[in-house]
Amino acid sequence: EEGPKSSVRLDHLRANEIRVQETWEKQGTFQGNPAYNADGSPKPKFMVTFPYPYMNGRLHLGHAFSLTKAEFCANYKRMRGYNVLFPFGFHCTGMPIQAAANKLKAEMAKYGNPPKFPAEEAAAAAPGAKGAGGAPAKGKALKGKVAAKASGSAYQWETLVKMNIEAAEVPAFADPITWLNFFPSWGVVDLKKFGCSIDWRRSFITTSVNPFYNAFIEWQFRVLQSNDKIVFGKRPGIYSPLDGQVCADHDRSEGEGVGPQEYTLIKLRVTTLPPKLEAAAKGSPVFLAPATLRPETMYGQTNCFVLPEGDYGLYKWANGDVLVMSRRSAIGLAHQSHRNLKDESVDFAKEWGKVDELCTVKGSELLGLPLSAPRAPYKTVYVLPLLSISMGKGTGVVTSVPSDAPDDYVALAELKNKPEYRKKFGLTDEMVMPFEVVPIINITVPPSTEEPEGWSSDTAAALWSEKLGIKSTKDRAKLDEAKHKTYNTGFSFGRMLVGKYKGEKVSIAKPKEKMDMVAAGEALIFYEPEGFVKSRTGEECVVAMTDQWYLKYGEEKWRDQVLEHVNDPSKFTPYSQEILDRFNFTLGWLSEWACSRLFGLGTQLPWDPKWVIESLSDSTVYMAYYTIAHMLQGEDNLDGAKPSPSGIKAEDMNDGVFNFIFLRGPVPPGCKIPTATLEKLRAEFEYWYPMDLRVSGKDLIGNHLTMALYNHAAVWKDRPELWPRGYYTNGHVNLNNVKMSKSTGNFLMLEESVDKFSADATRYALGFAGDTLENANFETEVANAATSALFIEEGFAKQALEDKKAGLLRSGAMLKMETNVLNEMNCLILEATKCFDGMMWRDGLNAGSAQFKLLRDFYREWCTRSDMAMHEEVVTRYLEASTLLLAPVCPHFAEVIWNGQLGHAGSVLHAAWPCAAEVDGKASRELRFLQKTVKNLRASAAKEKKAVSKAGIFIADAYAPWKVQTLKFMQTLWDARGKGTGLPAKKELMQELTAKLLSSDPELKKKKKDVMQFAAYQADEALSSLGLAALDTEPAFDQLRVLDESREYLSKHLLVGTVLDLTLYNLSARDVPGPQQKKDAAEPGKPSIYFE
């Protein structure tokens, strides 16, 4: 985990980076300005953004990982000819900063200034650096190494001191404004040091501290209100029963950021009550009350589950119903209400917040009870045991739909397959055995990157449970995988097979089914926190209905507009089917959102100023503000306190001005801003919008990213062409395969990583960390290796160009192998381009950097072993192309090579992306044949135990007849399922061979094992690189010529320390000498070797 052993290489890279960054700043390399063609049409542009980070601390590697996806893309798009804008702001809205400042103030009031904490709790305070009063002094670094491990501090004072803030400066942080002046300024420093290609003229902080941004948010909310997207009333919010008030983020000891989750509470009536329940209910109807997120699946109910050891109660409600549920869920329901037919709010409980508990029961007392389940295909279902139920989630009661819920499918199968298990819980066969899986939803998933073969099923849970071999409810990992396969795809691709909405997509039918059941008295709407929340008074929080302003997310027309947008490939790019699935899923459940709080930093609600707009609501269309921020605020003016570069005053930015800029409104009467300036502001917005790409961690799909879509659809309701054009999301990043954690010390601040490895090496390792929604991994070994590799590569470029200048490289005619190397460069350029187009940075880096360098190493080694100089055309092409391919990720290194060594003018990031001629497939196969032959023959040579001096290589031009027969059959299967599908999956391929080829040829059937092995090997070859060419029955090129050209290289390279007397034999010739066994081992594309 240490940095490079010698600092020489690191120091050299860092010196280069500092020099390059100074040049960028001086030349304004990343300043994006509208550009137009001679005819006045706009030049192609690309606007990419990243969610502004919350500034209650320094930026760390987690920020950097997601940020690099936007950063790499911005650089790549510049090189592809786009006019790029990559702006960056800093978020300060909400409670965390205010809460931390309040906490510090309370500590000083209680323990003094400086405070004297109780000895047993006090942590040692590290000496710190001065400078809490605003932008950091030049050259001073607030070291994150100590701060990274500070989150375990019990006191806010100590947390700040461990961030290397001088103790004398800490009291200033009792004022939240100090945080706003301090950390965003450091954010700018960290990102510049990292080499980000950001237009810093457009940066800002949020909250009312910035009058320009404050005016923008006020305008946004007045637009939303005028479009009827904001209303006031009772809505669900996190609530502390003990405190008797809403529990905002700052009031929580656990669960910051957690919001309400809506469930449908299904009423399963107990048709025959046991004496205890009958006595308690006193004639009232009794229902088991499972909470579900999937009300549309109730047509497939086969039973109901409870936890045998769980504690349940019978709770009576205002309408007379008695519900069986956990006490914690009953407390939650008691704080909630519903809308009656007059649209009035009616509490569930007789007395709001109070539960009427009739009696308590163990889950075991409920087993075997007969139930009448709404929508179920069976007249009676029964209560069965499930040991994996969590009493801390939902109601502790689970309705079972084994067709679409893998947990339910496996649990029911276990009970069916284990009579002793049924006996243990006193269950009769009639309670379990007659109940079969009921098909209710068809899911048909088309082929995609995540699902290459696609799949279709009417009982998805059964399909995946069986496919993954799940036998037990304890097999959590596989169950989670099956759940992932079925739930998201069910929402996106499912269609109802039954019920009133038969044939409709699940995403459309789901809310309709829910409301139908509620209207019929078969269900209730129930909320609970989406995760565990504990107030600072130590009590678990619930969801309560409280008065507040809220945004009407989930409104049918509004939601459908967004759904249509994200599912139209011509309008929106999600970059993967899985990302699109998650957006569709979120749009299916996200509903009314409380957009204001009574506490915290931010913008006051313009028409009701006692409320402050909360942090997820003032961050949905601010991307539009970026387009004009440089004219309103300009560089080094994060809070807008300095004079505007355009002479604009914040108080003059009224609704009429914003309407003119963003909504094509008229010039506002009496406007103090010159019309020419207004026109320029509008032109900036019209040129840059829509936002082409937003990059984020996957956790924001469920809130911010989807809310941004909603808000764009509301503010620009008449101009859908201005809605976001693409979202790319990624997983979180681990550090050395372990979750990053400040408390354990497995953590890296961004500045620390740059100091340790250099900016480019950090960027390179982040690029190789991963790209999908799965968690990625930053490896310090990769970063260390990159530090050395970049230094060495710079040295290679310098030496190669000196050799070229000195005439030490060859010129003129090239060997065929060299043209093949150039062809392979084209192939790698095209592969890297394809990957970068799809935001697959790791794969693109592999092709454009790792594989490119390996190709260079192979060529250099080939020339050295062949006693000839490298060709200057090959070397120049390598240096030019490899520099350009690496530039989006390692721009400092690329600038040094591009300008300092290759002598090009202008930034490499404004250079054209490397062009690649059409790949010659035959040339590619020749080169790969040579490389693969070298690898195989070296492996054979390494097994030689005796000293040898001679060797013969056998080259075959024809396969054995049975292999030809196998290959021809495999050719008939190529693309049989559709263009571009290639061969069937391995298992299906083997089945086809057995059923259609071997069964029709008794002689071939005798070689079944050999046929299967050969077919499997060729299938792998087709999949890896060769494609259909792997199934050719004879070589497409002269193998002997390829190896003969490399004879000297082979003679010196196959056996370490030995120059072999090498003979090449074509087995099509007569009387070829040598062992027959070795001759038989050779086949087209796979020569064999013998030694003597």
Side-chain angles (χ1 to χ4, degrees):
E1 296 183 10
E2 293 303 314
K5 293 179 181 178
S6 169
S7 66
V8 173
R9 295 176 175 182
L10 175 61
D11 292 345
H12 177 78
L13 294 182
R14 287 293 299 127
N16 283 347
E17 289 171 355
I18 291 168
R19 186 171 63 254
V20 167
Q21 288 167 11
E22 289 172 350
T23 301
W24 286 341
E25 188 139 3
K26 181 180 178 181
Q27 297 179 350
T29 302
F30 306 125
Q31 291 183 3
N33 297 301
Y36 301 90
N37 297 306
D39 63 0
S41 60
K43 289 186 175 180
K45 63 86 185 178
F46 193 86
M47 181 181 179
V48 57
T49 66
F50 175 80
Y52 41 30
Y54 193 77
M55 296 312 296
N56 60 344
R58 293 287 291 277
L59 299 175
H60 54 70
L61 207 62
H63 293 114
F65 172 64
S66 293
L67 170 65
T68 54
K69 311 302 183 186
E71 164 70 9
F72 297 165
C73 185
N75 287 336
Y76 174 63
K77 290 294 184 179
R78 284 189 187 93
M79 299 177 72
R80 296 290 281 172
Y82 289 89
N83 186 18
V84 172
L85 177 61
F86 181 23
F88 200 94
F90 300 95
H91 204 194
C92 303
T93 304
M95 273 312 305
I97 289 174
Q98 181 72 66
N102 291 348
K103 184 179 179 185
L104 178 63
K105 187 184 297 184
E107 288 172 3
M108 291 190 294
K110 185 174 182 179
Y111 299 110
N113 181 11
K116 294 182 179 179
F117 298 119
E120 68 273 12
E121 297 180 26
K130 296 179 181 179
K138 187 175 180 180
K140 185 189 297 181
L142 180 79
K143 292 296 179 184
K145 192 177 294 186
V146 178
K149 300 167 186 177
S151 69
S153 298
Y155 299 107
Q156 188 62 52
W157 179 287
E158 290 177 348
T159 298
L160 291 166
V161 169
K162 287 179 179 179
M163 289 182 184
N164 278 11
I165 296 173
E166 189 77 22
E169 301 287 340
V170 170
F173 286 83
D175 180 354
I177 303 303
T178 302
W179 298 69
L180 275 59
N181 291 332
F182 187 73
F183 287 112
S185 298
W186 273 110
V188 173
V189 170
D190 288 342
L191 292 173
K192 285 185 175 182
K193 188 171 182 176
F194 191 47
C196 289
S197 59
I198 291 167
D199 185 347
W200 290 109
R201 302 171 303 160
R202 301 173 188 264
S203 296
F204 57 85
I205 62 171
T206 66
T207 76
S208 57
V209 168
N210 181 349
F212 289 101
Y213 188 76
N214 194 66
F216 172 77
I217 296 302
E218 288 182 343
W219 165 79
Q220 175 197 348
F221 268 73
R222 277 191 284 262
V223 171
L224 292 172
Q225 186 191 36
S226 68
N227 289 338
D228 193 31
K229 301 303 181 188
I230 303 178
V231 292
F232 188 79
K234 286 187 180 294
R235 286 302 179 271
I238 306 299
Y239 185 87
S240 169
L242 184 63
D243 298 336
Q245 64 178 1
V246 170
C247 188
D249 279 354
H250 71 293
D251 295 319
R252 303 175 190 177
S253 61
E254 291 183 54
E256 184 178 312
V258 171
Q261 171 75 66
E262 180 187 296
Y263 290 84
T264 306
L265 197 152
I266 310 298
K267 294 166 64 175
L268 310 185
R269 183 161 187 168
V270 184
T271 55
T272 303
L273 290 170
K276 181 177 179 179
L277 272 60
E278 187 174 20
K282 296 179 180 177
S284 297
V286 178
F287 303 87
L288 265 70
T292 181
L293 294 171
R294 307 192 65 194
E296 77 283 2
T297 66
M298 294 304 99
Y299 295 101
Q301 294 176 93
T302 58
N303 59 278
C304 178
F305 289 121
V306 297
L307 180 68
E309 293 304 312
D311 292 315
Y312 297 86
L314 272 66
Y315 298 95
K316 191 167 185 178
W317 304 96
N319 66 352
D321 288 347
V322 175
L323 303 183
V324 180
M325 57 204 309
S326 65
R327 180 172 178 82
R328 60 171 291 283
S329 61
I331 292 172
L333 188 61
H335 288 85
Q336 297 170 25
S337 53
H338 62 96
R339 313 297 295 182
N340 63 16
L341 294 176
K342 298 179 181 179
D343 200 31
E344 299 168 334
S345 181
V346 179
D347 296 336
F348 286 119
K350 295 177 190 174
E351 182 181 352
W352 189 84
K354 302 294 183 183
V355 296
D356 184 4
E357 185 178 88
L358 304 181
C359 74
T360 60
V361 292
K362 281 287 187 184
S364 56
E365 299 177 69
L366 303 172
L367 296 178
L369 288 183
L371 307 172
S372 174
R375 310 285 173 102
Y378 298 100
K379 182 179 179 181
T380 301
V381 299
Y382 295 90
V383 181
L384 305 179
L386 182 61
L387 303 184
S388 59
I389 288 176
S390 168
M391 296 300 291
K393 188 175 183 180
T395 62
V397 181
V398 177
T399 190
S400 173
V401 184
S403 58
D404 289 80
D407 286 270
D408 299 349
Y409 177 81
V410 174
L412 183 60
E414 270 191 313
L415 281 164
K416 284 190 169 191
N417 296 334
K418 296 180 179 179
E420 70 280 4
Y421 195 42
R422 300 197 295 274
K423 183 177 179 182
K424 175 183 176 181
F425 290 105
L427 303 173
T428 64
D429 285 355
E430 70 172 1
M431 298 175 183
V432 178
M433 302 308 291
F435 298 92
E436 300 297 332
V437 174
V438 181
I440 56 170
I441 294 171
N442 171 265
I443 303 175
T444 299
V445 179
S448 65
T449 304
E450 289 81 10
E451 296 287 351
E453 297 179 35
W455 58 275
S456 179
S457 177
D458 292 347
T459 54
L463 171 74
W464 285 103
S465 297
E466 291 167 9
K467 222 172 190 180
L468 297 172
I470 307 172
K471 302 297 182 185
S472 168
T473 52
K474 296 178 182 179
D475 198 347
R476 195 66 260 159
K478 287 185 177 180
L479 280 168
D480 287 342
E481 183 181 354
K483 193 173 180 179
H484 171 74
K485 292 283 189 183
T486 55
Y487 278 31
N488 285 356
T489 54
F491 186 81
S492 299
F493 298 106
R495 285 192 181 273
M496 300 298 296
L497 297 173
V498 295
K500 181 178 176 181
Y501 305 105
K502 180 179 179 180
E504 288 196 13
K505 292 182 68 174
V506 166
S507 57
I508 304 301
K510 177 176 179 172
K512 296 178 182 178
E513 290 284 4
K514 174 186 71 176
M515 296 317 299
D516 285 354
M517 293 184 74
V518 170
E522 298 169 337
L524 313 172
I525 302 299
F526 169 67
Y527 297 89
E528 70 171 16
E530 57 192 355
F532 182 76
V533 180
K534 185 165 70 173
S535 70
R536 295 196 181 278
T537 50
E539 184 184 46
E540 182 178 1
C541 292
V542 299
V543 173
M545 293 293 184
T546 55
D547 285 327
Q548 55 194 293
W549 290 99
Y550 64 92
L551 283 155
K552 296 160 67 174
Y553 298 141
E555 181 185 63
E556 185 175 0
K557 183 179 178 182
W558 197 10
R559 181 201 66 213
D560 289 350
Q561 289 174 329
V562 178
L563 274 169
E564 181 183 354
H565 178 72
V566 298
N567 286 285
D568 186 341
S570 69
K571 297 176 181 177
F572 185 81
T573 303
Y575 288 92
S576 82
Q577 184 61 49
E578 189 174 2
I579 292 174
L580 180 59
D581 288 348
R582 292 193 180 210
F583 276 109
N584 281 320
F585 183 72
T586 299
L587 286 163
W589 65 258
L590 184 63
S591 58
E592 298 160 345
W593 181 266
C595 60
S596 58
R597 300 286 186 266
L598 292 171
F599 313 98
L601 303 176
T603 297
Q604 291 175 303
L605 204 59
W607 59 86
D608 195 352
K610 71 174 179 289
W611 296 90
V612 177
I613 298 168
E614 60 89 38
S615 60
L616 278 169
S617 299
D618 81 336
S619 55
T620 53
V621 298
Y622 70 90
M623 312 85 182
Y625 183 77
Y626 280 133
T627 65
I628 62 171
H630 64 307
M631 292 183 64
L632 301 184
Q633 297 182 223
E635 191 164 2
D636 194 27
N637 189 19
L638 294 176
D639 61 1
K642 297 178 183 178
S644 164
S646 305
I648 298 172
K649 294 181 179 179
E651 56 264 31
D652 294 335
M653 295 298 295
N654 55 42
D655 286 2
V657 171
F658 283 119
N659 287 339
F660 177 87
I661 297 168
F662 295 123
L663 301 182
R664 291 182 170 177
V667 174
C671 181
K672 297 180 180 179
I673 302 171
T675 302
T677 303
L678 289 177
E679 294 285 1
K680 191 174 180 182
L681 288 164
R682 176 191 277 183
E684 287 275 349
F685 171 71
E686 292 287 345
Y687 179 84
W688 290 114
Y689 240 55
M691 173 177 60
D692 298 283
L693 175 64
R694 189 156 181 80
V695 172
S696 170
K698 63 184 179 182
D699 50 310
L700 296 190
I701 293 176
N703 44 61
H704 161 73
L705 293 175
T706 304
M707 293 174 181
L709 289 166
Y710 266 116
N711 278 264
H712 277 81
V715 174
W716 290 281
K717 60 182 180 179
D718 299 322
R719 298 187 67 189
E721 71 273 15
L722 296 182
W723 303 356
R725 298 281 299 166
Y727 280 166
Y728 175 89
T729 60
N730 50 260
H732 304 298
V733 65
N734 292 332
L735 178 57
N736 294 324
N737 281 313
V738 178
K739 183 179 179 180
M740 286 210 300
S741 168
K742 293 180 182 179
S743 60
T744 64
N746 189 56
F747 202 78
L748 267 179
M749 303 303 288
L750 178 54
E751 182 199 47
E752 181 184 359
S753 188
V754 172
D755 287 341
K756 199 171 187 178
F757 307 113
S758 80
D760 278 346
T762 298
R763 293 164 66 108
Y764 190 87
L766 285 168
F768 260 108
D771 294 308
T772 67
L773 290 175
E774 299 301 316
N775 286 346
N777 183 42
F778 180 92
E779 297 184 61
T780 52
E781 282 188 9
V782 173
N784 270 328
T787 304
S788 297
L790 291 170
F791 179 86
I792 293 169
E793 194 68 9
E794 184 183 336
F796 169 79
K798 181 179 180 182
Q799 185 62 54
L801 290 169
E802 287 176 356
D803 289 349
K804 179 181 177 181
K805 188 175 182 180
L808 299 178
L809 301 181
R810 288 171 32 243
S811 59
M814 285 188 286
L815 298 170
K816 185 65 172 67
M817 199 282 291
E818 290 174 319
T819 63
N820 289 350
V821 167
L822 288 175
N823 179 74
E824 187 64 15
M825 288 186 193
N826 287 333
C827 185
L828 290 172
I829 289 169
L830 292 174
E831 178 63 21
T833 303
K834 177 184 175 184
C835 292
F836 285 1
D837 282 342
M839 299 287 288
M840 301 303 289
W841 304 107
R842 177 167 59 186
D843 292 345
L845 269 177
N846 183 54
S849 175
Q851 295 301 318
F852 222 78
K853 192 163 70 170
L854 285 173
L855 178 64
R856 185 276 316 272
D857 291 345
F858 172 78
Y859 173 62
R860 180 170 56 179
E861 176 74 9
W862 190 94
C863 289
T864 301
R865 299 282 188 183
S866 301
D867 290 331
M868 66 173 69
M870 293 186 290
H871 198 287
E872 65 177 20
E873 188 175 335
V874 177
V875 171
T876 301
R877 174 61 165 166
Y878 169 78
L879 290 176
E880 297 261 356
S882 64
T883 300
L884 293 168
L885 290 170
L886 193 55
V889 178
C890 300
H892 309 88
F893 166 83
E895 294 281 22
V896 169
I897 304 299
W898 191 251
N899 300 130
Q901 298 192 11
L902 290 170
H904 294 292
S907 170
V908 68
L909 296 173
H910 289 155
W913 190 250
C915 293
E918 185 177 351
V919 173
D920 181 340
K922 182 178 176 182
S924 288
R925 293 182 65 183
E926 284 187 11
L927 182 65
R928 291 172 191 177
F929 164 71
L930 174 60
Q931 292 175 317
K932 190 171 182 180
T933 297
V934 169
K935 180 181 177 182
N936 291 339
L937 297 185
R938 277 177 64 87
S940 296
K943 297 176 183 177
E944 283 296 313
K945 294 190 170 33
K946 63 180 188 295
V948 296
S949 59
K950 295 182 179 181
I953 297 177
F954 297 123
I955 302 165
D957 287 332
Y959 286 105
W962 68 266
K963 290 185 178 181
V964 173
Q965 194 176 351
T966 303
L967 288 170
K968 287 184 175 180
F969 176 77
M970 292 174 70
Q971 290 171 6
T972 67
L973 300 179
W974 188 267
D975 280 356
R977 297 163 301 155
K979 188 174 181 180
T981 57
L983 287 172
K986 193 73 67 71
K987 183 178 179 181
E988 186 182 341
L989 174 62
M990 298 300 117
Q991 291 172 344
E992 290 280 327
L993 285 165
T994 302
K996 296 180 181 177
L997 178 64
L998 299 179
S999 64
S1000 63
D1001 190 328
E1003 289 301 313
L1004 195 60
K1005 191 172 183 180
K1006 295 176 183 177
K1007 293 181 175 289
K1008 180 176 180 179
K1009 183 177 179 182
D1010 293 335
V1011 169
M1012 294 301 193
Q1013 288 178 344
F1014 175 70
Y1017 177 80
Q1018 295 304 126
D1020 288 339
E1021 289 288 283
L1023 189 62
S1024 62
S1025 60
L1026 293 178
L1028 180 59
L1031 308 183
D1032 288 349
T1033 56
E1034 56 186 42
F1037 55 88
D1038 187 341
Q1039 300 172 94
L1040 181 60
R1041 177 190 56 76
V1042 173
L1043 297 184
D1044 190 45
E1045 185 181 52
S1046 298
R1047 185 191 295 263
E1048 188 166 355
Y1049 164 68
L1050 292 168
S1051 69
K1052 296 175 182 177
H1053 190 63
L1054 293 184
L1055 199 59
V1056 177
T1058 301
V1059 178
L1060 293 169
D1061 180 2
L1062 196 62
T1063 306
L1064 306 178
Y1065 299 102
N1066 191 321
L1067 292 176
S1068 61
R1070 292 185 177 182
D1071 302 323
V1072 175
Q1076 190 62 41
Q1077 183 182 5
K1078 294 291 186 179
K1079 296 178 192 177
D1080 292 342
E1083 57 187 37
K1086 194 177 178 182
S1088 61
I1089 191 169
Y1090 81 97
F1091 298 93
E1092 54 179 313

